[in-house]
Amino acid sequence: MNALREPLPSTFRITGYKSHAKEILHCLKMKYFQELQDLEVDGQKIEAPQPLSWYPDELAWHTNMSRKILRKSPLLEKFHQFLVSETESGNISRQEAVSMIPPLLLKIEPHHKILDMCAAPGSKTAQLIEMLHADMNIPFPEGFVIANDVDNKRCYLLVHQAKRLSSPCIMVVNHDASSIPRLLVDVNGSKEILFYDRILCDVPCSGDGTMRKNIDVWKKWTTSNSLHLHGLQLRIATRGVEQLAEGGRLVYSTCSLNPVEDEAVIMSLLEKSEGALELADVSSELPGLKWMPGITSWKVMTKEGQWYSDWSEVPTSRHTQIRPTMFPLKDQEKLKALNIERCLRILPHHQNTGGFFVAVLVKKGCMPWNKRLPKLRHKNSPIVAAEANAEPEEEEERTVAVEESTEAGRGPESTEANPNKKEVACCPPPSKKMKVFGYKEEPFVFLSDDDPVFTPIQKFYELAPSFPKHNVLTRTHEGKKKHLYMVSKELRTVLLNNSERMKVINTGVKVWSRNNDGEQFGCAFRLAQEGIYTLYPYIRARIISVTIEDVQILLTQENPFLRKFGADAQKQAKQLGMGSVVLRYEPDVMKPETLQCPVVLCGWRGKTSIRAFVPKNERFHYLRMMGVDVFQEKEEGDSKVLDQKDGGAGDQASEVMDCEDDKNMEVSEEEIKVENDGNEDIDDKGEVEQSESETCNEHSNTTPEAQCPAEASDKKT
């Protein structure tokens, strides 16, 4: 209780799958952490951030600074701006320490198919995506993440979080997690049900473990919160294990310490699984993490303060509020076999964190109420023909399985194992078909083999023969395609086979954007920085190799003339016609003091200049990694770029980079929603905003000859 009354320390995580994670860590240690030494704010001594002992590779850090101090203190302004800017770029995630635990315990591999059942706001989802892309040399991992949330508005927040990581392997869907539909995929020419290798089940909870950051919990908390949520939590967890592949892992977690929401749910799930599930022993998987084992004895309390230690004590009038599954098992032999002590309880005073509960379940076999898997209901399907000849005994077994599932309280969605009832078959009946991809969402349309849009793109960029053309999609059936996106092959299969049973909010990473003036140069689509790391391995033309000095010029000047670049870059640029280009920097191992991670930027080769199409925060990120100090003065609204080495002297160092108002640094729900409405992903307004964020100075600072056609196009828009 003493620990809960203290402010929660600030924690953040460096994005692990980025190739420059080590550079960010080096920058933090050598610059920002040293500046925090011996600081005192409001009488409190500021301690330099320390790595979380249990998080791998020193990629997660915590400090005794509360969020309030970090935001308000002028002495910490630079560090705070660094965190905000790098978070927007997707290089850092500000996330509570205990929230980082569930994804780690899932033990993600690049080939895993992952479901995040209650994903918003998305910090854990981002962690899953990072682990999927652990090897940056693989642009399209075999696995994917399907992130679901029941709240439509929160789904757009989820989209914003996922977009920061620019992954082609993420899909955001909008469903009730307790009845999330089964999906179909193509396997060797036939349609099969998708079972997930890993499922994160971070269920809605009363949140009593978050008292240190959510002060309202102190006033609003009652025991009835847990009683109301227990049934939903059990239904969500049940639906999760139904869709888990045999041998797969499901992590159940809450930010509550109430056993009604924690051990009671796990105990009930294990008991009715009849051995199909078991708790994994993860005590050695996160060395350095302090925790308490799960408890096996507790009482249930009503809002009025009445305590019950057994279901038999509960009066009939309370049976709608208190259920038998809320109580611990009385049979000690059965209780011992469940190994409830393998659950992890993280208490606030253990390591100065929030309160948290985690349990890792492994699926050993088919769930007893799902012994017969649901089949695809098609008139001419060979499966249906086989079922028509099924023996009466089989039909009887199927009926029993459905009755058992109904008794388990799983609702109508889980009765799809009964083939005699068409209304519960895997495919919905024609009269109740869901609108394609939801209410305001436009369809996801994959390019056809004969689509005229793709031929000039392939020719202009000389895409490799291995380029997965069929994975390119757009968001419109008619009219000009404004943006092109890419998804992984596996997500393409999911999209094509489940359009009528799944509401998709967003998927794919943007790789090309239309630029009408580019048509005169051979291609109407310019490269998008958001998806350049996905696309670059397939591009064989329009590439300019640049030095670290060239990169600094590109990021600090609006439209630098060719003569400002090194001789090698000038020579390469002169051999290319006007249009979109890739600017590639490779680190020099002989110069360890320079940036030691590869950088790929999108640019435009103008008549006499080269321009970089890079968002503001991403520019700041690369400049910081190169040792340039970027600081935004709030009162002036400008971001100043000062070279640390010469104290501000020099052409590039003295550049003043215009930035948008502070309000534009935060993406509102409405702005995110714009990206998913209309006939394409971003409307005209969004395109203008992108153009502004990708440039650093006013257009008037450059001569008309230096301005490239892309700028003119943006101005028209």
Side-chain angles (χ1 to χ4, degrees):
M1 289 300 293
N2 288 336
L4 283 172
R5 292 187 177 97
E6 295 296 323
L8 187 69
S10 297
T11 51
F12 62 89
R13 180 172 49 78
I14 299 170
T15 302
Y17 82 88
K18 298 275 189 177
S19 58
H20 40 260
K22 290 182 180 178
E23 292 293 324
I24 299 173
L25 186 57
H26 178 76
C27 178
L28 278 168
K29 286 181 175 180
M30 295 297 104
K31 179 176 176 3
Y32 291 96
F33 289 173
Q34 290 188 0
E35 291 179 0
L36 297 177
Q37 297 284 356
D38 304 321
L39 273 184
E40 193 169 304
V41 177
D42 296 338
Q44 178 185 353
K45 186 178 179 181
I46 300 299
E47 297 175 5
Q50 299 295 321
L52 294 176
S53 59
W54 45 266
Y55 202 96
D57 303 323
E58 288 191 342
L59 291 179
W61 294 72
H62 70 107
T63 172
N64 68 334
M65 291 179 284
S66 67
R67 293 195 296 178
K68 183 179 178 182
I69 291 177
L70 194 55
R71 288 172 180 169
K72 303 297 182 184
S73 172
L75 296 173
L76 301 171
E77 192 174 345
K78 277 191 179 182
F79 183 52
H80 183 242
Q81 283 190 16
F82 168 82
L83 292 178
V84 171
S85 179
E86 293 296 325
T87 299
E88 283 300 309
S89 300
N91 301 307
I92 277 179
S93 289
R94 288 185 286 175
Q95 181 180 357
E96 191 177 342
V98 290
S99 174
M100 304 175 192
I101 296 171
L104 290 177
L105 293 176
L106 278 172
K107 301 180 75 172
I108 303 294
E109 299 289 339
H111 63 276
H112 282 156
K113 297 170 182 62
I114 308 160
L115 172 64
D116 191 348
M117 300 189 75
C118 310
S123 57
K124 297 182 186 71
T125 308
Q127 213 173 337
L128 298 174
I129 298 171
E130 292 168 26
M131 293 173 177
L132 205 61
H133 289 273
D135 186 352
M136 280 295 287
N137 294 320
I138 304 175
F140 291 100
E142 289 182 28
F144 55 78
V145 177
I146 294 180
N148 173 70
D149 202 85
V150 68
D151 190 316
N152 186 262
K153 292 181 179 179
R154 282 164 63 89
C155 280
Y156 292 101
L157 180 60
L158 191 55
V159 169
H160 177 57
Q161 281 274 48
K163 274 183 175 290
R164 296 185 305 117
L165 297 173
S166 303
S167 170
C169 303
I170 171 71
M171 178 189 290
V172 177
V173 299
N174 181 203
H175 287 281
D176 178 357
S178 64
S179 58
I180 190 167
R182 291 186 184 275
L183 304 183
L184 300 173
V185 289
D186 289 324
V187 179
N188 299 325
S190 63
K191 292 187 182 349
E192 294 187 6
I193 294 166
L194 171 63
F195 289 99
Y196 300 94
D197 302 300
R198 298 289 187 268
I199 295 180
L200 177 57
C201 189
D202 187 50
V203 295
C205 65
S206 59
D208 54 59
T210 67
M211 287 179 172
R212 300 181 71 176
K213 66 175 183 179
N214 296 329
I215 306 301
D216 285 351
V217 176
W218 288 92
K219 296 179 181 178
K220 296 179 180 179
W221 182 88
T222 71
T223 54
S224 61
N225 294 345
S226 298
L227 302 182
H228 294 154
L229 287 166
H230 171 84
L232 175 64
Q233 292 163 339
L234 183 55
R235 289 195 301 274
I236 292 174
T238 301
R239 190 60 177 162
V241 296
E242 287 175 353
Q243 302 209 20
L244 186 64
E246 289 188 27
R249 274 194 175 199
L250 179 143
V251 170
Y252 176 89
S253 62
T254 73
C255 46
S256 169
L257 298 174
N258 193 323
V260 171
E261 301 179 63
D262 300 339
E263 286 90 350
V265 173
I266 297 300
M267 200 174 283
S268 175
L269 197 56
L270 288 170
E271 186 185 15
K272 69 179 182 178
S273 75
E274 298 177 7
L277 297 173
E278 75 171 18
L279 275 169
D281 184 358
V282 294
S283 56
S284 60
E285 291 188 10
L286 294 178
L289 178 67
K290 294 180 181 178
W291 50 276
M292 193 178 101
I295 59 177
T296 56
S297 177
W298 64 86
K299 295 180 181 180
V300 177
M301 187 180 116
T302 64
K303 187 177 181 179
E304 294 76 24
Q306 295 169 291
W307 289 92
Y308 302 105
S309 57
D310 188 75
W311 168 247
S312 60
E313 300 175 4
V314 181
T316 308
S317 60
R318 295 279 188 185
H319 281 187
T320 55
Q321 301 171 27
I322 301 175
R323 303 300 301 152
T325 53
M326 297 178 182
F327 293 92
L329 287 177
K330 293 300 181 183
D331 188 326
Q332 292 302 310
E333 190 174 332
K334 280 186 179 180
L335 189 60
K336 187 177 180 181
L338 298 182
N339 296 313
I340 295 297
E341 69 280 355
R342 291 181 176 176
C343 299
L344 307 185
R345 286 181 153 264
I346 293 97
L347 303 184
H349 63 278
H350 282 163
Q351 288 175 303
N352 200 13
T353 63
F356 211 70
F357 174 86
V358 191
V360 181
L361 294 165
V362 177
K363 190 171 183 179
K364 294 297 184 180
C366 190
M367 305 309 292
W369 57 86
N370 263 354
K371 291 294 185 185
R372 301 244 345 150
L373 299 178
K375 304 296 183 183
L376 179 63
R377 318 300 302 174
H378 277 308
K379 188 175 180 181
N380 300 321
S381 171
I383 296 175
V384 176
E387 287 184 354
N389 300 321
E391 294 294 328
E393 290 181 5
E394 293 179 354
E395 297 294 333
E396 188 177 344
E397 288 173 7
R398 230 173 272 150
T399 306
V400 171
V402 172
E403 288 174 355
E404 287 177 357
S405 66
T406 306
E407 289 173 5
R410 289 165 39 243
E413 187 69 25
S414 59
T415 62
E416 51 192 3
N418 190 342
N420 295 325
K421 295 187 179 181
K422 291 184 179 179
E423 65 272 19
V424 295
C426 206
C427 287
S431 60
K432 294 183 179 180
K433 281 185 180 177
M434 190 180 73
K435 278 187 178 181
V436 178
F437 298 109
Y439 310 104
K440 293 184 180 180
E441 298 304 325
E442 290 298 319
F444 295 82
V445 184
F446 287 95
L447 296 188
S448 60
D449 287 330
D450 56 350
D451 196 309
V453 166
F454 189 72
T455 304
I457 292 176
Q458 190 169 29
K459 182 179 178 182
F460 190 73
Y461 297 104
E462 292 184 18
L463 298 178
S466 60
F467 178 75
K469 171 187 172 182
H470 294 101
N471 296 358
V472 180
L473 61 85
T474 184
R475 295 296 301 271
T476 177
H477 275 299
E478 301 173 355
K480 283 190 174 182
K481 299 172 176 64
K482 202 167 186 183
H483 303 288
L484 298 179
Y485 307 83
M486 287 196 73
V487 295
S488 65
K489 181 180 71 175
E490 289 73 16
L491 275 187
R492 179 181 187 272
T493 301
V494 172
L495 271 172
L496 291 176
N497 287 292
N498 300 280
S499 60
E500 294 179 352
R501 62 172 57 80
M502 183 173 60
K503 181 182 176 184
V504 180
I505 301 297
N506 194 278
T507 190
V509 58
K510 183 165 65 178
V511 289
W512 282 293
S513 292
R514 179 176 286 278
N515 174 25
N516 292 328
D517 287 337
E519 290 185 23
Q520 59 185 302
F521 309 120
C523 183
F525 286 86
R526 67 172 176 86
L527 298 164
Q529 183 67 27
E530 184 179 323
I532 190 60
Y533 284 96
T534 298
L535 198 57
Y536 174 74
Y538 302 101
I539 297 176
R540 297 290 180 267
R542 312 288 303 172
I543 300 173
I544 300 176
S545 296
V546 293
T547 63
I548 192 70
E549 292 78 16
D550 296 333
V551 174
Q552 188 165 333
I553 291 171
L554 285 163
L555 297 179
T556 56
Q557 298 186 28
E558 168 60 18
N559 263 326
F561 290 108
L562 287 175
R563 64 174 180 268
K564 292 191 176 184
F565 295 93
D568 191 36
Q570 287 187 49
K571 182 180 177 181
Q572 296 174 69
K574 288 175 181 177
Q575 293 173 352
L576 298 176
M578 295 174 65
S580 189
V581 294
V582 177
L583 303 160
R584 171 76 176 183
Y585 163 74
E586 284 290 348
D588 186 350
V589 293
M590 303 303 292
K591 297 180 180 178
E593 71 280 359
T594 60
L595 187 64
Q596 289 299 300
C597 65
V599 175
V600 183
L601 307 176
C602 293
W604 184 274
R605 160 75 161 96
K607 189 175 181 181
T608 58
S609 64
I610 299 179
R611 169 190 184 183
F613 275 109
V614 182
K616 175 187 64 179
N617 284 320
E618 201 162 336
R619 286 177 181 255
F620 290 171
H621 162 71
Y622 288 123
L623 288 169
R624 288 190 190 97
M625 297 308 102
M626 291 187 292
V628 177
D629 190 13
V630 180
F631 180 60
Q632 178 183 345
E633 296 181 358
K634 287 185 179 178
E635 59 274 14
E636 295 180 11
D638 290 338
S639 293
K640 302 207 172 177
V641 181
L642 304 173
D643 195 318
Q644 294 173 309
K645 296 176 183 176
D646 57 17
D651 293 338
Q652 293 83 33
S654 61
E655 289 285 344
V656 177
M657 304 172 68
D658 285 346
C659 76
E660 300 168 7
D661 295 335
D662 288 344
K663 63 181 180 181
N664 290 335
M665 294 180 69
E666 296 182 5
V667 181
S668 68
E669 175 190 308
E670 288 74 16
E671 290 172 324
I672 298 168
K673 215 163 187 174
V674 162
E675 296 184 359
N676 300 277
D677 293 339
N679 290 333
E680 57 280 316
D681 195 53
I682 297 181
D683 64 0
D684 293 343
K685 180 174 179 289
E687 182 67 13
V688 172
E689 288 174 348
Q690 183 193 21
S691 312
E692 291 172 351
S693 70
E694 288 179 343
T695 60
C696 294
N697 293 328
E698 297 292 346
H699 290 295
S700 58
N701 290 348
T702 58
T703 62
E705 300 82 38
Q707 291 181 4
C708 66
E711 297 172 272
S713 174
D714 287 342
K715 282 182 176 179
K716 289 176 189 173
T717 309

